[in-house]
Amino acid sequence: FQNYVGGRFEGFSGPGISESNVAGLLIVTGIMTTAALFLSGKLKEKIAAMGMMPFTLNALIATISRSGFLALGIAGVVLNFFAPKKSMFTVRFFSVAGLILLVSLTNPVYWERIGTILAGGEQVEGVDTGSKRLVLMGAQFEMSKAYPLGCGHRCTAVLSPNYLDDAYLTVSPSGVKARASHNTFMTMLVEQGIPGAIFYFMLLLWMARTCLRLRRPMRDREGLIPQTYAAVVAVLAAITVGDLFVDYLKFEARLWFISILMVLVRMNAEMVEAEKLVANERATDCAKFGSRNVSTSRRRASL
């Protein structure tokens, strides 16, 4: 609030927050986490979460990040889909309220840049539609052909002058012309080679299978754990969307939420075992009670 004077804000600080797109995605993870705390928290926690949300959304808007906007939209849809049954109406109500708040905080400059998404990467004179990223991806495919086992960490920028015209390169403060990767999968493919690309797809497959496997048991529960589960799935979906537009190879929050997902898998297994134990105890008690009734009835019949 002290430094922002308009335009695209790049002054975020923090580990790994190198530019506004990274900051935008990190803020989206915060929005989903706040939603989980709001839905499962007590009155004081709900008030605190609601009080911080306008500032959080305003920070996201200040990034004017198209990838952040898309990540937020996908995360919101996923959060509504994976939310527990008993809180489904509440989640949808506050999702609409959050959307209204987001729109009320925006300005024409923001929507002008977001509107370039509709261009689909076509080249429009004087407008950044992301077309340079498509050209870069084509060059990265050529790099991967030359280095099928990878050319090393951050080699996309090193090789880019050999594969791209100067018009597609950016000049660093030291005067070096280069173009860094803007897609996480392409980064893995070029810099870590085919093994890196396979690893990325295996990671996506594991996340999808794990999230879907937990959906049924979590939907019928209440409290912080199922709300956290829905937020974690939403965050991982947002990060996957962000991977399409920005190089998030070392995005720290990804590791946080993958770790939380692993914890949820363990906690769910423990809860299932506890539920089975309670069910077995009830079945045993019912059997004992039934056998007592049968023996009592036989005793009465004999008398």
Side-chain angles (χ1 to χ4, degrees), residues 135-136 139-140 142-143 147 151 154-172 175-181 190:
V135 175
L136 174 61
Q140 286 181 293
E142 296 301 321
M143 296 177 193
Y147 301 91
C151 55
R154 294 293 181 252
C155 67
T156 298
V158 176
L159 295 176
S160 59
N162 301 328
Y163 289 85
L164 293 170
D165 295 334
D166 289 348
Y168 296 101
L169 304 177
T170 56
V171 183
S172 66
V176 178
K177 292 183 177 180
R179 185 77 178 183
S181 177
V190 174

PDB file of all heavy atoms in Angstrom, residues 135-136 139-140 142-143 147 151 154-172 175-181 190:
ATOM      1  N   VAL A 135       5.791 -19.098 -29.462  1.00  0.00           N
ATOM      2  CA  VAL A 135       6.997 -19.194 -30.278  1.00  0.00           C
ATOM      3  C   VAL A 135       8.115 -19.841 -29.475  1.00  0.00           C
ATOM      4  O   VAL A 135       8.866 -20.688 -29.980  1.00  0.00           O
ATOM      5  CB  VAL A 135       7.421 -17.798 -30.769  1.00  0.00           C
ATOM      6  CG1 VAL A 135       8.747 -17.878 -31.528  1.00  0.00           C
ATOM      7  CG2 VAL A 135       6.345 -17.199 -31.664  1.00  0.00           C
ATOM      8  N   LEU A 136       8.220 -19.462 -28.191  1.00  0.00           N
ATOM      9  CA  LEU A 136       9.247 -20.042 -27.328  1.00  0.00           C
ATOM     10  C   LEU A 136       9.031 -21.536 -27.144  1.00  0.00           C
ATOM     11  O   LEU A 136       9.991 -22.318 -27.166  1.00  0.00           O
ATOM     12  CB  LEU A 136       9.233 -19.336 -25.971  1.00  0.00           C
ATOM     13  CG  LEU A 136      10.156 -19.909 -24.897  1.00  0.00           C
ATOM     14  CD1 LEU A 136      11.618 -19.852 -25.339  1.00  0.00           C
ATOM     15  CD2 LEU A 136       9.975 -19.181 -23.576  1.00  0.00           C
ATOM     16  N   ALA A 139      10.376 -23.343 -30.030  1.00  0.00           N
ATOM     17  CA  ALA A 139      11.842 -23.409 -29.964  1.00  0.00           C
ATOM     18  C   ALA A 139      12.292 -24.436 -28.932  1.00  0.00           C
ATOM     19  O   ALA A 139      13.291 -25.148 -29.137  1.00  0.00           O
ATOM     20  CB  ALA A 139      12.400 -22.034 -29.610  1.00  0.00           C
ATOM     21  N   GLN A 140      11.542 -24.565 -27.842  1.00  0.00           N
ATOM     22  CA  GLN A 140      11.911 -25.541 -26.806  1.00  0.00           C
ATOM     23  C   GLN A 140      11.753 -26.973 -27.295  1.00  0.00           C
ATOM     24  O   GLN A 140      12.535 -27.854 -26.905  1.00  0.00           O
ATOM     25  CB  GLN A 140      11.081 -25.305 -25.546  1.00  0.00           C
ATOM     26  CG  GLN A 140      11.504 -24.066 -24.759  1.00  0.00           C
ATOM     27  CD  GLN A 140      10.667 -23.871 -23.506  1.00  0.00           C
ATOM     28  OE1 GLN A 140       9.473 -23.593 -23.582  1.00  0.00           O
ATOM     29  NE2 GLN A 140      11.299 -24.017 -22.352  1.00  0.00           N
ATOM     30  N   GLU A 142      12.396 -27.886 -30.283  1.00  0.00           N
ATOM     31  CA  GLU A 142      13.611 -28.103 -31.064  1.00  0.00           C
ATOM     32  C   GLU A 142      14.810 -28.348 -30.145  1.00  0.00           C
ATOM     33  O   GLU A 142      15.672 -29.185 -30.440  1.00  0.00           O
ATOM     34  CB  GLU A 142      13.876 -26.891 -31.967  1.00  0.00           C
ATOM     35  CG  GLU A 142      12.807 -26.653 -33.020  1.00  0.00           C
ATOM     36  CD  GLU A 142      12.643 -27.847 -33.955  1.00  0.00           C
ATOM     37  OE1 GLU A 142      13.673 -28.460 -34.313  1.00  0.00           O
ATOM     38  OE2 GLU A 142      11.485 -28.163 -34.309  1.00  0.00           O
ATOM     39  N   MET A 143      14.854 -27.639 -29.016  1.00  0.00           N
ATOM     40  CA  MET A 143      15.928 -27.860 -28.046  1.00  0.00           C
ATOM     41  C   MET A 143      15.879 -29.282 -27.499  1.00  0.00           C
ATOM     42  O   MET A 143      16.912 -29.944 -27.333  1.00  0.00           O
ATOM     43  CB  MET A 143      15.816 -26.870 -26.884  1.00  0.00           C
ATOM     44  CG  MET A 143      15.987 -25.421 -27.244  1.00  0.00           C
ATOM     45  SD  MET A 143      15.752 -24.361 -25.778  1.00  0.00           S
ATOM     46  CE  MET A 143      15.614 -22.745 -26.544  1.00  0.00           C
ATOM     47  N   TYR A 147      18.661 -32.231 -27.354  1.00  0.00           N
ATOM     48  CA  TYR A 147      19.127 -32.716 -26.048  1.00  0.00           C
ATOM     49  C   TYR A 147      18.035 -33.573 -25.412  1.00  0.00           C
ATOM     50  O   TYR A 147      17.350 -33.136 -24.477  1.00  0.00           O
ATOM     51  CB  TYR A 147      19.482 -31.546 -25.133  1.00  0.00           C
ATOM     52  CG  TYR A 147      20.559 -30.642 -25.669  1.00  0.00           C
ATOM     53  CD1 TYR A 147      20.231 -29.533 -26.442  1.00  0.00           C
ATOM     54  CD2 TYR A 147      21.904 -30.904 -25.413  1.00  0.00           C
ATOM     55  CE1 TYR A 147      21.208 -28.692 -26.940  1.00  0.00           C
ATOM     56  CE2 TYR A 147      22.894 -30.076 -25.904  1.00  0.00           C
ATOM     57  CZ  TYR A 147      22.545 -28.968 -26.673  1.00  0.00           C
ATOM     58  OH  TYR A 147      23.535 -28.144 -27.174  1.00  0.00           O
ATOM     59  N   CYS A 151      19.413 -30.588 -21.161  1.00  0.00           N
ATOM     60  CA  CYS A 151      20.604 -29.769 -21.374  1.00  0.00           C
ATOM     61  C   CYS A 151      21.064 -29.078 -20.089  1.00  0.00           C
ATOM     62  O   CYS A 151      21.973 -28.258 -20.108  1.00  0.00           O
ATOM     63  CB  CYS A 151      20.356 -28.717 -22.459  1.00  0.00           C
ATOM     64  SG  CYS A 151      18.919 -27.654 -22.155  1.00  0.00           S
ATOM     65  N   ARG A 154      18.198 -24.516 -16.207  1.00  0.00           N
ATOM     66  CA  ARG A 154      18.100 -23.160 -16.764  1.00  0.00           C
ATOM     67  C   ARG A 154      18.836 -23.008 -18.093  1.00  0.00           C
ATOM     68  O   ARG A 154      19.265 -21.918 -18.457  1.00  0.00           O
ATOM     69  CB  ARG A 154      18.632 -22.128 -15.762  1.00  0.00           C
ATOM     70  CG  ARG A 154      17.776 -22.031 -14.480  1.00  0.00           C
ATOM     71  CD  ARG A 154      16.409 -21.474 -14.803  1.00  0.00           C
ATOM     72  NE  ARG A 154      15.566 -21.349 -13.628  1.00  0.00           N
ATOM     73  CZ  ARG A 154      14.512 -22.115 -13.356  1.00  0.00           C
ATOM     74  NH1 ARG A 154      14.198 -23.108 -14.187  1.00  0.00           N
ATOM     75  NH2 ARG A 154      13.772 -21.904 -12.300  1.00  0.00           N
ATOM     76  N   CYS A 155      18.939 -24.113 -18.825  1.00  0.00           N
ATOM     77  CA  CYS A 155      19.635 -24.024 -20.113  1.00  0.00           C
ATOM     78  C   CYS A 155      18.756 -23.437 -21.206  1.00  0.00           C
ATOM     79  O   CYS A 155      19.251 -23.080 -22.273  1.00  0.00           O
ATOM     80  CB  CYS A 155      20.152 -25.397 -20.538  1.00  0.00           C
ATOM     81  SG  CYS A 155      18.826 -26.564 -20.924  1.00  0.00           S
ATOM     82  N   THR A 156      17.437 -23.337 -20.964  1.00  0.00           N
ATOM     83  CA  THR A 156      16.563 -22.723 -21.971  1.00  0.00           C
ATOM     84  C   THR A 156      17.021 -21.310 -22.281  1.00  0.00           C
ATOM     85  O   THR A 156      17.100 -20.905 -23.450  1.00  0.00           O
ATOM     86  CB  THR A 156      15.104 -22.707 -21.473  1.00  0.00           C
ATOM     87  OG1 THR A 156      14.651 -24.046 -21.276  1.00  0.00           O
ATOM     88  CG2 THR A 156      14.203 -22.015 -22.484  1.00  0.00           C
ATOM     89  N   ALA A 157      17.321 -20.549 -21.235  1.00  0.00           N
ATOM     90  CA  ALA A 157      17.785 -19.176 -21.438  1.00  0.00           C
ATOM     91  C   ALA A 157      19.130 -19.143 -22.153  1.00  0.00           C
ATOM     92  O   ALA A 157      19.386 -18.274 -22.998  1.00  0.00           O
ATOM     93  CB  ALA A 157      17.881 -18.463 -20.094  1.00  0.00           C
ATOM     94  N   VAL A 158      19.994 -20.108 -21.842  1.00  0.00           N
ATOM     95  CA  VAL A 158      21.325 -20.146 -22.463  1.00  0.00           C
ATOM     96  C   VAL A 158      21.222 -20.445 -23.951  1.00  0.00           C
ATOM     97  O   VAL A 158      21.918 -19.848 -24.785  1.00  0.00           O
ATOM     98  CB  VAL A 158      22.212 -21.198 -21.761  1.00  0.00           C
ATOM     99  CG1 VAL A 158      23.566 -21.307 -22.459  1.00  0.00           C
ATOM    100  CG2 VAL A 158      22.391 -20.839 -20.294  1.00  0.00           C
ATOM    101  N   LEU A 159      20.323 -21.384 -24.312  1.00  0.00           N
ATOM    102  CA  LEU A 159      20.197 -21.796 -25.717  1.00  0.00           C
ATOM    103  C   LEU A 159      19.279 -20.902 -26.526  1.00  0.00           C
ATOM    104  O   LEU A 159      19.307 -20.953 -27.767  1.00  0.00           O
ATOM    105  CB  LEU A 159      19.669 -23.238 -25.780  1.00  0.00           C
ATOM    106  CG  LEU A 159      20.568 -24.337 -25.214  1.00  0.00           C
ATOM    107  CD1 LEU A 159      19.860 -25.684 -25.273  1.00  0.00           C
ATOM    108  CD2 LEU A 159      21.894 -24.403 -25.959  1.00  0.00           C
ATOM    109  N   SER A 160      18.433 -20.114 -25.873  1.00  0.00           N
ATOM    110  CA  SER A 160      17.410 -19.352 -26.586  1.00  0.00           C
ATOM    111  C   SER A 160      17.954 -18.452 -27.699  1.00  0.00           C
ATOM    112  O   SER A 160      17.300 -18.335 -28.753  1.00  0.00           O
ATOM    113  CB  SER A 160      16.591 -18.527 -25.593  1.00  0.00           C
ATOM    114  OG  SER A 160      17.421 -17.641 -24.861  1.00  0.00           O
ATOM    115  N   PRO A 161      19.119 -17.784 -27.553  1.00  0.00           N
ATOM    116  CA  PRO A 161      19.601 -16.962 -28.674  1.00  0.00           C
ATOM    117  C   PRO A 161      19.886 -17.758 -29.943  1.00  0.00           C
ATOM    118  O   PRO A 161      19.857 -17.203 -31.046  1.00  0.00           O
ATOM    119  CB  PRO A 161      20.888 -16.331 -28.114  1.00  0.00           C
ATOM    120  CG  PRO A 161      20.713 -16.351 -26.634  1.00  0.00           C
ATOM    121  CD  PRO A 161      19.958 -17.613 -26.357  1.00  0.00           C
ATOM    122  N   ASN A 162      20.134 -19.070 -29.808  1.00  0.00           N
ATOM    123  CA  ASN A 162      20.406 -19.911 -30.976  1.00  0.00           C
ATOM    124  C   ASN A 162      19.130 -20.388 -31.665  1.00  0.00           C
ATOM    125  O   ASN A 162      19.187 -20.891 -32.792  1.00  0.00           O
ATOM    126  CB  ASN A 162      21.230 -21.135 -30.568  1.00  0.00           C
ATOM    127  CG  ASN A 162      22.559 -20.751 -29.941  1.00  0.00           C
ATOM    128  OD1 ASN A 162      23.142 -19.732 -30.287  1.00  0.00           O
ATOM    129  ND2 ASN A 162      23.039 -21.575 -29.013  1.00  0.00           N
ATOM    130  N   TYR A 163      17.982 -20.227 -31.009  1.00  0.00           N
ATOM    131  CA  TYR A 163      16.724 -20.752 -31.544  1.00  0.00           C
ATOM    132  C   TYR A 163      15.669 -19.666 -31.772  1.00  0.00           C
ATOM    133  O   TYR A 163      14.644 -19.950 -32.397  1.00  0.00           O
ATOM    134  CB  TYR A 163      16.140 -21.792 -30.580  1.00  0.00           C
ATOM    135  CG  TYR A 163      16.914 -23.079 -30.534  1.00  0.00           C
ATOM    136  CD1 TYR A 163      18.024 -23.221 -29.696  1.00  0.00           C
ATOM    137  CD2 TYR A 163      16.561 -24.174 -31.327  1.00  0.00           C
ATOM    138  CE1 TYR A 163      18.733 -24.404 -29.642  1.00  0.00           C
ATOM    139  CE2 TYR A 163      17.271 -25.369 -31.269  1.00  0.00           C
ATOM    140  CZ  TYR A 163      18.361 -25.473 -30.428  1.00  0.00           C
ATOM    141  OH  TYR A 163      19.066 -26.660 -30.390  1.00  0.00           O
ATOM    142  N   LEU A 164      15.898 -18.453 -31.272  1.00  0.00           N
ATOM    143  CA  LEU A 164      14.903 -17.393 -31.384  1.00  0.00           C
ATOM    144  C   LEU A 164      15.512 -16.141 -31.993  1.00  0.00           C
ATOM    145  O   LEU A 164      16.707 -15.852 -31.807  1.00  0.00           O
ATOM    146  CB  LEU A 164      14.336 -17.041 -29.990  1.00  0.00           C
ATOM    147  CG  LEU A 164      13.494 -18.108 -29.287  1.00  0.00           C
ATOM    148  CD1 LEU A 164      13.243 -17.697 -27.845  1.00  0.00           C
ATOM    149  CD2 LEU A 164      12.178 -18.330 -30.015  1.00  0.00           C
ATOM    150  N   ASP A 165      14.693 -15.386 -32.712  1.00  0.00           N
ATOM    151  CA  ASP A 165      15.122 -14.082 -33.218  1.00  0.00           C
ATOM    152  C   ASP A 165      15.252 -13.099 -32.055  1.00  0.00           C
ATOM    153  O   ASP A 165      14.649 -13.280 -30.989  1.00  0.00           O
ATOM    154  CB  ASP A 165      14.120 -13.553 -34.237  1.00  0.00           C
ATOM    155  CG  ASP A 165      14.054 -14.422 -35.486  1.00  0.00           C
ATOM    156  OD1 ASP A 165      15.067 -15.092 -35.797  1.00  0.00           O
ATOM    157  OD2 ASP A 165      12.982 -14.443 -36.139  1.00  0.00           O
ATOM    158  N   ASP A 166      15.989 -12.035 -32.282  1.00  0.00           N
ATOM    159  CA  ASP A 166      16.205 -11.041 -31.231  1.00  0.00           C
ATOM    160  C   ASP A 166      14.903 -10.409 -30.750  1.00  0.00           C
ATOM    161  O   ASP A 166      14.819  -9.964 -29.599  1.00  0.00           O
ATOM    162  CB  ASP A 166      17.146  -9.941 -31.735  1.00  0.00           C
ATOM    163  CG  ASP A 166      18.585 -10.437 -31.882  1.00  0.00           C
ATOM    164  OD1 ASP A 166      18.877 -11.545 -31.379  1.00  0.00           O
ATOM    165  OD2 ASP A 166      19.399  -9.724 -32.500  1.00  0.00           O
ATOM    166  N   ALA A 167      13.891 -10.390 -31.604  1.00  0.00           N
ATOM    167  CA  ALA A 167      12.623  -9.766 -31.228  1.00  0.00           C
ATOM    168  C   ALA A 167      11.929 -10.514 -30.094  1.00  0.00           C
ATOM    169  O   ALA A 167      11.112  -9.932 -29.369  1.00  0.00           O
ATOM    170  CB  ALA A 167      11.694  -9.690 -32.439  1.00  0.00           C
ATOM    171  N   TYR A 168      12.266 -11.783 -29.934  1.00  0.00           N
ATOM    172  CA  TYR A 168      11.627 -12.604 -28.899  1.00  0.00           C
ATOM    173  C   TYR A 168      12.487 -12.711 -27.635  1.00  0.00           C
ATOM    174  O   TYR A 168      12.083 -13.372 -26.681  1.00  0.00           O
ATOM    175  CB  TYR A 168      11.354 -14.009 -29.436  1.00  0.00           C
ATOM    176  CG  TYR A 168      10.367 -14.027 -30.570  1.00  0.00           C
ATOM    177  CD1 TYR A 168      10.793 -14.138 -31.891  1.00  0.00           C
ATOM    178  CD2 TYR A 168       9.003 -13.923 -30.339  1.00  0.00           C
ATOM    179  CE1 TYR A 168       9.882 -14.155 -32.938  1.00  0.00           C
ATOM    180  CE2 TYR A 168       8.086 -13.931 -31.375  1.00  0.00           C
ATOM    181  CZ  TYR A 168       8.535 -14.048 -32.677  1.00  0.00           C
ATOM    182  OH  TYR A 168       7.638 -14.049 -33.720  1.00  0.00           O
ATOM    183  N   LEU A 169      13.637 -12.072 -27.633  1.00  0.00           N
ATOM    184  CA  LEU A 169      14.535 -12.135 -26.491  1.00  0.00           C
ATOM    185  C   LEU A 169      14.385 -10.898 -25.622  1.00  0.00           C
ATOM    186  O   LEU A 169      13.955  -9.845 -26.082  1.00  0.00           O
ATOM    187  CB  LEU A 169      15.991 -12.262 -26.958  1.00  0.00           C
ATOM    188  CG  LEU A 169      16.315 -13.449 -27.877  1.00  0.00           C
ATOM    189  CD1 LEU A 169      17.765 -13.400 -28.314  1.00  0.00           C
ATOM    190  CD2 LEU A 169      16.014 -14.775 -27.175  1.00  0.00           C
ATOM    191  N   THR A 170      14.708 -11.045 -24.354  1.00  0.00           N
ATOM    192  CA  THR A 170      14.710  -9.916 -23.425  1.00  0.00           C
ATOM    193  C   THR A 170      16.148  -9.630 -23.013  1.00  0.00           C
ATOM    194  O   THR A 170      16.986 -10.531 -22.968  1.00  0.00           O
ATOM    195  CB  THR A 170      13.863 -10.215 -22.176  1.00  0.00           C
ATOM    196  OG1 THR A 170      14.355 -11.412 -21.558  1.00  0.00           O
ATOM    197  CG2 THR A 170      12.402 -10.424 -22.556  1.00  0.00           C
ATOM    198  N   VAL A 171      16.394  -8.371 -22.716  1.00  0.00           N
ATOM    199  CA  VAL A 171      17.749  -7.946 -22.361  1.00  0.00           C
ATOM    200  C   VAL A 171      17.851  -7.802 -20.846  1.00  0.00           C
ATOM    201  O   VAL A 171      17.057  -7.098 -20.226  1.00  0.00           O
ATOM    202  CB  VAL A 171      18.108  -6.613 -23.040  1.00  0.00           C
ATOM    203  CG1 VAL A 171      19.551  -6.225 -22.709  1.00  0.00           C
ATOM    204  CG2 VAL A 171      17.931  -6.715 -24.549  1.00  0.00           C
ATOM    205  N   SER A 172      18.814  -8.498 -20.250  1.00  0.00           N
ATOM    206  CA  SER A 172      19.028  -8.429 -18.805  1.00  0.00           C
ATOM    207  C   SER A 172      19.774  -7.145 -18.449  1.00  0.00           C
ATOM    208  O   SER A 172      20.327  -6.477 -19.332  1.00  0.00           O
ATOM    209  CB  SER A 172      19.826  -9.649 -18.343  1.00  0.00           C
ATOM    210  OG  SER A 172      21.139  -9.611 -18.878  1.00  0.00           O
ATOM    211  N   GLY A 175      23.054  -6.775 -19.987  1.00  0.00           N
ATOM    212  CA  GLY A 175      23.118  -6.660 -21.433  1.00  0.00           C
ATOM    213  C   GLY A 175      23.028  -7.965 -22.186  1.00  0.00           C
ATOM    214  O   GLY A 175      23.138  -7.982 -23.417  1.00  0.00           O
ATOM    215  N   VAL A 176      22.794  -9.079 -21.486  1.00  0.00           N
ATOM    216  CA  VAL A 176      22.699 -10.398 -22.123  1.00  0.00           C
ATOM    217  C   VAL A 176      21.287 -10.591 -22.656  1.00  0.00           C
ATOM    218  O   VAL A 176      20.300 -10.378 -21.943  1.00  0.00           O
ATOM    219  CB  VAL A 176      23.050 -11.518 -21.127  1.00  0.00           C
ATOM    220  CG1 VAL A 176      22.897 -12.884 -21.784  1.00  0.00           C
ATOM    221  CG2 VAL A 176      24.464 -11.329 -20.596  1.00  0.00           C
ATOM    222  N   LYS A 177      21.178 -11.042 -23.905  1.00  0.00           N
ATOM    223  CA  LYS A 177      19.876 -11.309 -24.524  1.00  0.00           C
ATOM    224  C   LYS A 177      19.536 -12.795 -24.355  1.00  0.00           C
ATOM    225  O   LYS A 177      20.339 -13.660 -24.717  1.00  0.00           O
ATOM    226  CB  LYS A 177      19.894 -10.947 -26.005  1.00  0.00           C
ATOM    227  CG  LYS A 177      20.025  -9.462 -26.289  1.00  0.00           C
ATOM    228  CD  LYS A 177      19.970  -9.190 -27.788  1.00  0.00           C
ATOM    229  CE  LYS A 177      20.039  -7.693 -28.073  1.00  0.00           C
ATOM    230  NZ  LYS A 177      19.976  -7.406 -29.538  1.00  0.00           N
ATOM    231  N   ALA A 178      18.357 -13.048 -23.819  1.00  0.00           N
ATOM    232  CA  ALA A 178      17.944 -14.441 -23.604  1.00  0.00           C
ATOM    233  C   ALA A 178      16.437 -14.471 -23.394  1.00  0.00           C
ATOM    234  O   ALA A 178      15.783 -13.440 -23.257  1.00  0.00           O
ATOM    235  CB  ALA A 178      18.660 -15.042 -22.408  1.00  0.00           C
ATOM    236  N   ARG A 179      15.883 -15.682 -23.356  1.00  0.00           N
ATOM    237  CA  ARG A 179      14.460 -15.874 -23.087  1.00  0.00           C
ATOM    238  C   ARG A 179      14.315 -17.093 -22.194  1.00  0.00           C
ATOM    239  O   ARG A 179      14.668 -18.212 -22.580  1.00  0.00           O
ATOM    240  CB  ARG A 179      13.673 -16.086 -24.392  1.00  0.00           C
ATOM    241  CG  ARG A 179      12.178 -16.182 -24.200  1.00  0.00           C
ATOM    242  CD  ARG A 179      11.555 -14.822 -23.985  1.00  0.00           C
ATOM    243  NE  ARG A 179      10.099 -14.905 -23.836  1.00  0.00           N
ATOM    244  CZ  ARG A 179       9.322 -13.834 -23.697  1.00  0.00           C
ATOM    245  NH1 ARG A 179       9.851 -12.627 -23.709  1.00  0.00           N
ATOM    246  NH2 ARG A 179       8.016 -13.976 -23.553  1.00  0.00           N
ATOM    247  N   ALA A 180      13.788 -16.875 -21.001  1.00  0.00           N
ATOM    248  CA  ALA A 180      13.603 -17.974 -20.064  1.00  0.00           C
ATOM    249  C   ALA A 180      12.322 -18.733 -20.378  1.00  0.00           C
ATOM    250  O   ALA A 180      11.424 -18.232 -21.068  1.00  0.00           O
ATOM    251  CB  ALA A 180      13.567 -17.451 -18.634  1.00  0.00           C
ATOM    252  N   SER A 181      12.216 -19.944 -19.865  1.00  0.00           N
ATOM    253  CA  SER A 181      11.031 -20.770 -20.094  1.00  0.00           C
ATOM    254  C   SER A 181       9.815 -20.175 -19.394  1.00  0.00           C
ATOM    255  O   SER A 181       9.921 -19.569 -18.323  1.00  0.00           O
ATOM    256  CB  SER A 181      11.288 -22.186 -19.570  1.00  0.00           C
ATOM    257  OG  SER A 181      10.131 -22.984 -19.715  1.00  0.00           O
ATOM    258  N   VAL A 190      12.929 -29.806 -21.549  1.00  0.00           N
ATOM    259  CA  VAL A 190      14.179 -29.294 -22.129  1.00  0.00           C
ATOM    260  C   VAL A 190      15.345 -29.472 -21.164  1.00  0.00           C
ATOM    261  O   VAL A 190      16.415 -29.962 -21.546  1.00  0.00           O
ATOM    262  CB  VAL A 190      14.025 -27.806 -22.514  1.00  0.00           C
ATOM    263  CG1 VAL A 190      15.361 -27.236 -22.971  1.00  0.00           C
ATOM    264  CG2 VAL A 190      12.982 -27.645 -23.605  1.00  0.00           C
TER     265      VAL A 190
END
